[in-house]
């Protein structure tokens, strides 16, 4: 079995930073990724709050830059999906779809994926009007009317992005105020192509071959109504990609991995960083910070365990 | 070099509709992260099934009208043709395993 000092599972900003710190500390480091390096940054149009980029940076560009920096100091990269962990031996074993891999210290940076709405029609029309990636699909909706569901940063920022293509975006939010950052909220409230429906939830996504309408309900008045739309973009939060971490306890009710402030999971030498970790603020900058902290403690752990 | 044939509105008739082999048509875009993830796998499959199926791709950034004509509204999307007729499509949530599975089903 291939053995490394450190295996980092996931190459989003947390994993890429962990690999950067670990390889720069001359540890033999493997970066595992099942998709594209950069993680959720790849489906983000513009990142405005990562320090060092005063004019903002596109998600794909920042992904490519972070990957280049992570690999510069000799971290190895492999495409594989983690399926399970074996943590009882001296070495930590990551079981993947392309064989087992072993390491002294393990850094879990597997991130999170968009959470579905869970309403009727959502699964049926996925790819036929229901989307979770405005950057991927916005251009198809030129001259169309679309709905965006959610009230956080992602929902509002991507709704604003969609207004560049569409005739109108309706933002459907279940509360009477947005959770998004103030500056983003101000932009949304001032944007002529964006209409916000407050206190409103989606009951069903309707259509024939493709999405044609959403049926909605006002949670305060109980009134139900329908809006004609050609597409529905869903931004209602995240689900952690922690299915392969079942051997790790405890995870939170929602499946996030619990750690201490050193990113340690409670099992010595096993760390969790970024969006998969239970924490308050999930941002590129906090993911990067987690990665640096975990790699530094992993190095300390490896050095001490060899004494 | 890519093993996939670039399809546009000008050659879709010739490359897809009039193809004697079944056709896989991969709709992608340069800003679609998930599309880029699948690309190497599709290239591998194109080599593996080279004599049984024709592998084509559409850059939707340059051929949006063609995509919409074929009712593609989301990336990535994979359409499968036999005798010029669409017989199946993969949209929404799918990965490499589903693509190869659909290739086998289409080949029969």
């Amino acid at each position: 079995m291939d053995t490394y000092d450190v295996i980092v599972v996931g190459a989003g900003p947390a994993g890429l930073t962990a690999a950067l710190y670990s390889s720069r500390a001359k540890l033999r480091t493997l970066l595992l990724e099942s998709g594209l390096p950069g993680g959720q940054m790849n489906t983000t149009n513009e990142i405005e709050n990562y320090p060092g980029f005063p004019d903002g940076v596109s998600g794909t560009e920042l992904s490519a830059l972070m990957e280049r920096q992570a690999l510069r100091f000799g971290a190895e990269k492999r495409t594989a999906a983690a399926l399970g962990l074996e943590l009882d031996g001296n070495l930590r074993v990551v079981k993947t779809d392309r064989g087992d891999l072993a390491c002294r210290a393990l850094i879990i940076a597997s991130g999170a994926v968009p959470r579905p709405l869970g309403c009727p029609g959502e699964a049926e029309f996925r790819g036929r009007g229901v989307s979770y990636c405005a950057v991927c699909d916005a251009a198809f909706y030129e001259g169309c009317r679309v709905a965006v569901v959610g009230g956080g940063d992602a929902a509002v920022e991507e709704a604003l992005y969609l207004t560049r293509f569409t005739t109108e975006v309706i933002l459907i939010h279940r509360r009477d105020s947005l959770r998004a950052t103030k500056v983003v909220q101000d932009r949304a409230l001032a944007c002529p192509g964006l209409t916000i429906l407050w206190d409103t939830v989606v009951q069903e996504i309707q259509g024939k071959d493709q999405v044609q309408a959403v049926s909605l309900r006002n949670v305060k008045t109980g009134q139900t109504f329908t809006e004609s739309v050609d597409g529905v973009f869903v931004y209602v939060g995240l689900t952690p990609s922690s299915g392969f971490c079942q051997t790790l306890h405890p995870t939170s009710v929602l499946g996030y991995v619990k750690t201490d402030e050193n990113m340690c999971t409670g099992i010595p030498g096993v760390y969790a960083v970024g969006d998969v970790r239970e924490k308050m603020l999930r941002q590129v900058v906090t993911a990067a910070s987690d990665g640096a902290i975990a790699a530094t403690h992993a190095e300390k752990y490896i050095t001490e365990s060899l004494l | 070099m890519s093993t996939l044939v670039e399809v546009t509105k000008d050659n879709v008739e010739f490359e897809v509709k009039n193809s004697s082999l079944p056709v896989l048509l991969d709709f992608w875009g340069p800003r679609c992260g998930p599309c880029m993830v699948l690309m190497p796998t599709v290239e591998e499959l194109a080599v593996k099934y080279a004599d049984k199926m024709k592998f084509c791709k559409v850059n939707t950034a340059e051929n949006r009208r063609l995509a919409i004509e074929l009712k593609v509204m989301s990336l990535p999307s994979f359409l499968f043709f036999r005798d010029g007729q669409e017989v199946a499509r993969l949209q929404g949530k799918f990965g490499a395993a589903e693509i190869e599975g659909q290739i086998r089903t289409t080949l029969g």
Side-chain angles (χ1 to χ4, degrees):
Chain A
M1 197 175 354
D2 285 353
T3 303
Y4 294 84
D5 293 324
V6 175
I7 293 180
V8 181
V9 179
L16 288 169
T17 309
L20 166 66
Y21 273 71
S22 166
S23 56
R24 218 165 155 265
K26 302 257 179 197
L27 296 170
R28 190 167 177 241
T29 305
L30 176 70
L31 185 59
L32 279 185
E33 171 60 49
S34 59
L36 196 65
Q40 291 173 72
M41 292 196 291
N42 284 304
T43 52
T44 308
N45 175 48
E46 179 92 0
I47 297 168
E48 283 186 337
N49 54 5
Y50 191 74
F53 296 89
D55 303 316
V57 58
S58 85
T60 40
E61 193 185 342
L62 188 55
S63 300
L65 288 170
M66 280 195 188
E67 186 194 7
R68 213 174 85 204
Q69 194 172 1
L71 300 181
R72 183 180 150 197
F73 297 97
E76 202 180 304
K77 189 180 88 175
R78 225 187 264 197
T79 304
L83 304 174
L85 303 174
E86 277 175 13
L87 305 173
D88 34 10
N90 269 339
L91 290 174
R92 320 297 175 198
V93 177
V94 182
K95 303 180 115 13
T96 82
D97 59 350
R98 305 202 178 174
D100 294 356
L101 299 157
C103 57
R104 293 178 207 286
L106 172 66
I107 300 177
I108 297 161
S110 46
V113 293
R115 187 186 333 162
L117 269 174
C119 72
E122 182 184 21
E124 187 188 342
F125 289 109
R126 184 167 182 170
R128 293 185 296 145
V130 174
S131 173
Y132 303 84
C133 178
V135 183
C136 303
D137 299 338
F140 290 122
Y141 296 91
E142 196 145 352
C144 295
R145 185 170 195 250
V146 303
V148 174
V149 191
D153 279 321
V156 181
E157 282 174 4
E158 302 306 316
L160 285 164
Y161 174 68
L162 280 161
T163 61
R164 297 190 213 164
F165 300 85
T166 56
T167 51
E168 189 186 9
V169 174
I170 51 172
L171 182 69
I172 299 163
H173 185 44
R174 62 185 168 154
R175 301 186 205 284
D176 59 8
S177 63
L178 297 172
R179 235 177 331 105
T181 315
K182 195 70 175 65
V183 64
V184 177
Q185 284 192 34
D186 290 348
R187 257 180 239 162
L189 297 170
C191 178
L194 183 71
T195 310
I196 306 178
L197 295 181
W198 305 103
D199 301 311
T200 302
V201 293
V202 178
Q203 287 190 305
E204 190 182 357
I205 297 168
Q206 300 162 337
K208 276 186 183 163
D209 290 339
Q210 303 194 348
V211 169
Q212 292 173 329
V214 278
S215 102
L216 305 170
R217 183 169 57 85
N218 184 304
V219 291
K220 284 197 175 151
T221 63
Q223 185 199 1
T224 59
F225 56 108
T226 301
E227 291 281 347
S228 301
V229 291
D230 304 294
V232 181
F233 289 80
V234 181
Y235 288 97
V236 293
L238 300 170
T239 303
S241 303
S242 58
F244 69 98
C245 308
Q246 296 307 321
T247 42
L248 266 184
H249 283 288
T251 55
S252 75
V253 186
L254 296 170
Y256 292 103
V257 180
K258 289 187 180 176
T259 70
D260 61 19
E261 61 174 23
N262 297 334
M263 309 300 141
C264 188
T265 59
I267 300 176
V270 181
Y271 307 85
V273 293
D275 281 3
V276 77
R277 183 171 85 85
E278 187 172 75
K279 61 175 178 177
M280 210 210 80
L281 184 63
R282 294 192 172 83
Q283 293 282 303
V284 179
V285 69
T286 62
S289 162
D290 285 4
I293 294 167
T296 306
H297 285 279
E299 183 197 2
K300 196 159 165 272
Y301 168 79
I302 290 170
T303 312
E304 282 170 5
S305 65
L306 290 174
L307 289 177
Chain B
M1 204 194 94
S2 172
T3 43
L4 275 73
V5 179
E6 289 273 1
V7 167
T8 67
K9 68 174 176 14
D10 297 324
N11 67 355
V12 65
E13 200 69 31
F14 176 76
E15 296 290 355
V16 180
K17 304 279 169 67
N18 296 335
S19 170
S20 51
L21 284 177
V23 177
L24 173 153
L25 195 52
D26 172 357
F27 288 81
W28 68 286
R31 303 205 60 188
C32 165
C35 302
M36 296 311 197
V37 172
L38 289 171
M39 202 71 86
T41 309
V42 180
E43 300 271 353
E44 277 173 33
L45 291 169
V47 174
K48 187 172 171 185
Y49 292 95
D51 51 347
K52 299 194 183 73
M53 183 173 266
K54 185 196 267 186
F55 284 69
C56 302
K57 62 181 174 183
V58 176
N59 180 350
T60 54
E62 289 160 10
N63 299 279
R64 204 166 55 89
R65 214 164 276 266
L66 175 62
I68 291 170
E69 266 169 34
L70 292 167
K71 292 195 160 68
V72 170
M73 293 289 275
S74 172
L75 300 183
S77 285
F78 284 73
L79 272 55
F80 295 84
F81 293 84
R82 271 188 88 104
D83 304 320
Q85 297 295 315
E86 183 186 328
V87 290
R89 62 169 61 198
L90 291 172
Q91 280 180 327
K93 203 174 185 178
F94 64 91
E98 285 79 12
I99 296 170
E100 184 156 17
Q102 191 55 57
I103 290 171
R104 287 165 186 254
T105 310
T106 304
L107 293 175

